[in-house]
């Protein structure tokens, strides 16, 4: 058993309250169990309890064993002096506050229904390779419960991505165009190269890019030079030699020395040539050259078709036939599946972040509904959920299921999940 189970039991009051009393015999009436505390300190705050003849407002701390209080050093922590009730599974020891006063204890071990604990243990004991721990019991949760939970996890996932955009917005002095540039660069890394792409955005200030966006040659020199791909090039490649000379001039002009990445910072391993970082840099260069405004267009595009047109820009001529500097090979423009990933990981979070900035919840909902226009993703994780009967008909479904898996199923947070809660409540 983990403490999260007792948190769940206490929060929902799923225990026998007949003749409820503390270990020292005081009658207990729970008037309000309190709110979960997401920060450091007691587990529940603002609880309202009647102990004997006295009504208390304060905190509740929860442990498996009462002696965990000392194991966690709460007896020396002033934050725990506000605890008015210590809720435990097993009361094996009296505990005290920093001033030595005893904290009343309520033991729930004999008050929790055996079927509730048994179902919890069944969920927890599923093998690690079981992606969906509730699969054997899933029929006990209604279709409505499943749909509501994946809708909730979709919003949680988009809110988390929007939090990253909001943090960028603060770092960029609340400049939405600069924020979009940094978020766009990271998104063009497509996981494998998101980190070096983020560093490249920092190494290429937006004001510098703005001055050279209309000159494809200078723009390519800045992007590939700061990315570290113009250091070791074939002397017979006239295009790259020209870029190298141009970059030397621009690097000196804008004092960019010392901020450039190196070629070894980029990940090529286990990537197809179409996904090589050099190809992504070429696609990004083409986009910056063709689209002088980023934020306004990404914010105002009415549908997926408009966004597909925005991202489908031609590559610089050299990069149409080279997938690495000096390495010949046909290179395609940014594909639809990649564009759809950019919509999911960049456009929707950007719109959610901006809607929150404006304080407009309706715009948040409108941003997320863009995902309903995108086809579903397919991978081995989503296959498990589809086989279990979950709907995966759009990117909105896929994102909700991925968030469900990563935030609840994989870490076995069943008691925080509406589906797990529905199963636990079955008798």
């Amino acid at each position: 058993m983990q403490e999260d189970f007792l948190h769940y039991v206490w929060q929902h009051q799923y225990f026998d309250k007949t003749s409820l009393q503390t270990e020292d015999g005081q009658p207990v009436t729970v008037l309000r169990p309190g709110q979960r505390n997401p920060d450091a300190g007691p587990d529940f705050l603002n609880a309202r309890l009647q102990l004997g003849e006295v009504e208390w407002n304060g905190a509740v701390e929860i442990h498996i064993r009462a002696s965990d209080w000392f194991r966690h050093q709460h007896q020396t922590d002033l934050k725990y002096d506000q605890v008015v009730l210590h809720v435990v599974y097993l009361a094996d020891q009296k505990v005290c506050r920093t001033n030595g006063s005893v904290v009343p204890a309520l033991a729930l071990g004999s008050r929790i229904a055996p079927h509730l604990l048994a179902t919890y243990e069944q969920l927890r004991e599923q093998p690690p390779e079981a992606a969906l721990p509730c699969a054997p019991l899933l029929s006990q949760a209604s279709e409505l419960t499943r749909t509501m939970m994946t809708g909730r996890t979709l919003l949680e996932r988009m809110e988390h991505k929007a939090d990253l955009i909001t943090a960028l917005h603060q770092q960029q002095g609340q400049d939405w165009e600069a924020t979009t540039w940094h978020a766009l660069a990271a998104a063009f890394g497509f996981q494998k190269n998101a980190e070096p792409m983020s560093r490249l955005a920092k190494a290429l200030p937006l004001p510098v890019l703005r001055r050279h966006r209309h000159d494809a040659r200078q723009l390519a020199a800045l992007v590939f030079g700061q990315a570290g791909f113009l250091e070791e090039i074939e002397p017979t490649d006239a295009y790259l030699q020209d870029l190298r000379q141009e970059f030397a001039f621009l690097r000196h002009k804008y004092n960019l020395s010392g901020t450039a990445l190196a070629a070894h910072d980029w990940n090529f391993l286990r990537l197809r040539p179409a996904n090589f970082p050099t190809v992504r840099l070429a696609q990004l260069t083409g986009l910056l050259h063709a689209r002088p405004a980023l934020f306004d267009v990404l914010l105002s595009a009415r549908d997926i078709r408009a966004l597909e047109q925005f991202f489908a820009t031609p590559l610089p001529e050299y990069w149409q036939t080279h997938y690495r500097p000096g390495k010949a090979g046909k290179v395609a423009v940014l594909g639809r599946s990649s564009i759809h990933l950019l919509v999911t990981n960049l456009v929707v979070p950007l719109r959610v972040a901006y809607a929150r900035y404006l304080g407009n919840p309706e715009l948040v909902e409108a941003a997320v509904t863009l995902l309903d226009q995108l086809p579903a993703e397919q991978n081995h994780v989503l296959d498990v959920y589809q086989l279990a009967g979950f709907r995966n008909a759009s990117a909105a479904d896929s994102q909700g299921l991925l968030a469900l898996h990563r935030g609840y199923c994989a870490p076995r947070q069943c008691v925080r999940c509406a589906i797990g809660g529905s199963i636990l409540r079955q008798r």
Side-chain angles (χ1 to χ4, degrees):
M1 182 196 302
Q2 302 291 321
E3 278 186 13
D4 64 347
F5 175 66
L6 287 185
H7 290 180
Y8 171 80
V9 167
W10 175 256
Q11 182 174 5
H12 298 285
Q13 298 288 285
Y14 290 153
F15 56 89
D16 181 9
K17 300 181 187 64
T18 305
S19 302
L20 198 62
Q21 61 182 21
T22 62
E23 287 299 290
D24 60 0
Q26 296 183 76
V28 177
T29 302
V30 181
L31 304 173
R32 184 177 63 229
Q35 294 88 42
R36 287 289 298 271
N37 177 20
D39 302 313
D43 296 316
F44 286 81
L45 304 176
N46 302 315
R48 185 175 161 218
L49 311 165
Q50 186 167 327
L51 304 181
E53 300 298 321
V54 181
E55 185 175 312
W56 296 84
N57 286 276
V60 172
E61 177 66 3
I62 294 177
H63 289 121
I64 302 297
R65 295 175 175 270
S67 54
D68 292 339
W69 179 279
F70 294 104
R71 190 164 61 85
H72 298 162
Q73 299 295 308
H74 295 336
Q75 77 280 9
T76 61
D77 191 334
L78 292 172
K79 289 192 293 290
Y80 291 85
D81 283 353
Q82 61 182 305
V83 173
V84 296
L85 185 65
H86 191 202
V87 176
V88 299
Y89 186 77
L90 179 65
D92 61 339
Q93 190 174 355
K94 289 184 177 181
V95 304
C96 58
R97 305 180 181 88
T98 59
N99 62 5
S101 59
V102 174
V103 182
L106 173 64
L108 299 181
S110 62
R111 295 180 173 273
I112 298 173
H115 79 272
L116 185 63
L117 180 56
T119 304
Y120 168 78
E121 294 290 359
Q122 184 177 353
L123 292 171
R124 289 286 306 182
E125 290 172 2
Q126 291 296 311
E129 62 271 16
L132 186 59
C134 65
L137 305 170
L138 195 56
S139 61
Q140 298 178 27
S142 69
E143 183 69 27
L144 177 61
T145 300
R146 298 187 210 180
T147 302
M148 289 176 60
M149 185 61 195
T150 53
R152 177 180 126 192
T153 54
L154 168 63
L155 285 175
E156 288 175 355
R157 187 172 175 85
M158 291 302 111
E159 290 280 359
H160 172 70
K161 291 177 184 289
D163 288 342
L164 302 178
I165 301 286
T166 299
L168 265 180
H169 186 235
Q170 293 297 322
Q171 294 166 15
Q172 299 306 314
Q174 298 194 340
D175 181 332
W176 281 108
E177 187 71 14
T179 300
T180 305
W181 156 235
H182 282 260
L184 175 70
F188 257 81
F190 292 95
Q191 289 191 342
K192 287 275 189 175
N193 284 290
E195 189 271 336
M197 278 289 195
S198 295
R199 288 171 55 196
L200 177 64
K202 293 177 183 177
L204 271 176
L206 185 61
V208 174
L209 288 175
R210 277 175 168 158
R211 292 180 190 177
H212 299 279
R213 272 179 171 166
H214 299 292
D215 189 317
R217 173 173 159 270
Q218 291 181 331
L219 190 58
L222 284 167
V223 171
F224 282 92
Q226 283 296 82
F229 288 111
L230 299 180
E231 291 300 314
E232 298 179 8
I233 57 177
E234 294 291 334
T236 56
D237 194 317
Y239 171 78
L240 294 178
Q241 288 291 351
D242 179 54
L243 285 192
R244 186 174 183 175
Q245 291 178 3
E246 186 64 28
F247 176 62
F249 167 74
L250 294 171
R251 176 171 55 189
H252 177 74
K253 179 178 180 179
Y254 295 113
N255 193 26
L256 298 176
S257 299
T259 61
L261 283 75
H264 62 73
D265 290 326
W266 300 89
N267 179 30
F268 288 83
L269 187 64
R270 297 188 182 91
L271 289 176
R272 293 179 301 165
N275 296 324
F276 278 0
T278 42
V279 172
R280 297 307 188 193
L281 288 170
Q283 292 166 343
L284 181 60
T285 302
L287 180 67
L288 293 173
H289 178 59
R291 309 290 187 236
L294 297 173
F295 175 66
D296 287 344
V297 179
L298 293 180
L299 199 68
S300 61
R302 297 183 126 193
D303 53 27
I304 295 300
R305 189 184 192 101
L307 289 166
E308 288 176 344
Q309 292 174 348
F310 173 84
F311 284 112
T313 55
L315 289 166
E317 184 177 353
Y318 177 87
W319 296 103
Q320 294 175 21
T321 57
H322 292 79
Y323 58 88
R324 289 185 78 158
K327 303 290 184 181
K330 187 176 180 180
V331 178
V333 296
L334 197 64
R336 289 189 73 201
S337 61
S338 295
I339 292 174
H340 292 168
L341 285 175
L342 289 172
V343 173
T344 299
N345 296 315
L346 168 67
V347 178
V348 173
L350 181 67
R351 291 186 178 194
V352 171
Y354 187 64
R356 296 193 314 192
Y357 176 76
L358 296 178
N360 191 331
E362 291 181 0
L363 288 180
V364 172
E365 185 176 348
V368 176
T369 56
L370 262 181
L371 297 173
D372 290 321
Q373 301 177 36
L374 293 177
E377 300 173 41
Q378 299 295 332
N379 58 49
H380 69 282
V381 171
L382 294 172
D383 288 346
V384 172
Y385 289 83
Q386 284 184 261
L387 286 171
F390 283 88
R391 167 191 160 97
N392 186 29
S394 70
D397 297 327
S398 302
Q399 289 292 302
L401 290 173
L402 289 172
L404 176 66
H405 175 72
R406 293 170 186 171
Y408 297 86
C409 301
R412 300 299 191 255
Q413 292 293 312
C414 304
V415 296
R416 292 178 52 239
C417 171
I419 299 169
S422 176
I423 292 170
L424 284 169
R425 289 193 297 272
Q426 300 296 319
R427 293 185 179 273

